[in-house]
Amino acid sequence: MADRSTALVIIDVQEAMFSYPDMKLHDEEGVMDRILFLLHKARSSGTPVVYIQHTEDQEYTKGTPTWEISRRIAPRAEELIVEKPTWDAFHLTPLHKELQQRGITGLVICGMQSEFCVDSTTRRAFSLGYSSVLVEDAHSTFDNGSLSGGQIVKHHNSILGGRFAKLRKAREVEF
């Protein structure tokens, strides 16, 4: 039986992330495979799953194909979807209230993009008192002109891990 006080939080794994013809996420297929693995583990154990869905500007306009959550990890009817207008999944959203109402105090965080929404949400979760695990091999981003996506992921793991969240590889996460 799952510890219902922990939730898997999947941030911004939306079709837009896979729609750029000239850009690919760092370790895109590997990261998606690990997110699918975590999703299967969470669902199999009855762990709550929370999807965060960025909603703003052209690529993330509600109802457009690029705004949709990736078909590979399609939410089930009973799973919570929280739309957000900023990088922080708690800011201007009902996420904190929804988690509190469900008695959730622990988060397992994965998704896109490491230096924006994953970073902001992980830091805010810490500030709100959540015990979080950042799945170090289940978040990603794009090269940015200064650093490769892999360097950005590694940097954010080193900054967030041990300070704002525990780091775990996907295979080490237990629900």
Side-chain angles (χ1 to χ4, degrees):
M1 185 112 195
D3 172 5
R4 307 261 323 152
S5 68
T6 297
L8 174 63
V9 178
I10 303 173
I11 301 173
D12 298 353
V13 181
Q14 292 166 255
E15 292 297 336
M17 292 289 161
F18 312 98
S19 68
Y20 305 110
D22 56 342
M23 293 188 331
K24 279 187 74 79
L25 293 159
H26 166 70
D27 189 23
E28 184 174 294
E29 288 305 312
V31 169
M32 283 303 293
D33 287 347
R34 289 183 286 277
I35 291 172
L36 276 165
F37 171 77
L38 291 165
L39 182 58
H40 175 74
K41 252 178 129 165
R43 286 175 171 168
S44 295
S45 69
T47 298
V49 177
V50 179
Y51 290 85
I52 306 300
Q53 188 172 26
H54 197 78
T55 304
E56 57 105 9
D57 74 34
Q58 294 107 348
E59 297 160 309
Y60 300 97
T61 300
K62 188 171 184 164
T64 61
T66 53
W67 171 80
E68 297 293 335
I69 293 169
S70 171
R71 291 178 294 279
R72 290 184 64 187
I73 60 161
R76 292 180 177 169
E78 71 276 8
E79 293 170 335
L80 178 63
I81 301 170
V82 175
E83 293 179 32
K84 67 174 179 55
T86 70
W87 293 336
D88 176 351
F90 292 96
H91 186 62
L92 303 174
T93 75
L95 180 59
H96 183 54
K97 181 179 176 184
E98 292 283 350
L99 294 173
Q100 286 183 313
Q101 287 175 345
R102 289 166 169 78
I104 295 170
T105 58
L107 307 177
V108 174
I109 300 170
C110 63
M112 313 300 175
Q113 286 180 258
S114 304
E115 75 274 37
F116 299 118
C117 303
V118 171
D119 179 278
S120 299
T121 300
T122 302
R123 289 173 189 257
R124 184 70 178 276
F126 173 82
S127 296
L128 291 170
Y130 291 93
S131 172
S132 298
V133 169
L134 175 61
V135 187
E136 65 183 277
D137 56 354
H139 65 95
S140 188
T141 194
F142 302 99
D143 297 352
N144 70 11
S146 297
L147 299 170
S148 71
Q151 290 170 319
I152 295 166
V153 168
K154 184 176 179 180
H155 171 75
H156 280 80
N157 283 339
S158 72
I159 295 300
L160 297 170
R163 293 173 183 87
F164 300 97
K166 294 176 186 144
L167 288 180
R168 295 285 182 273
K169 292 189 181 301
R171 71 177 181 275
E172 299 168 344
V173 173
E174 296 296 327
F175 292 109

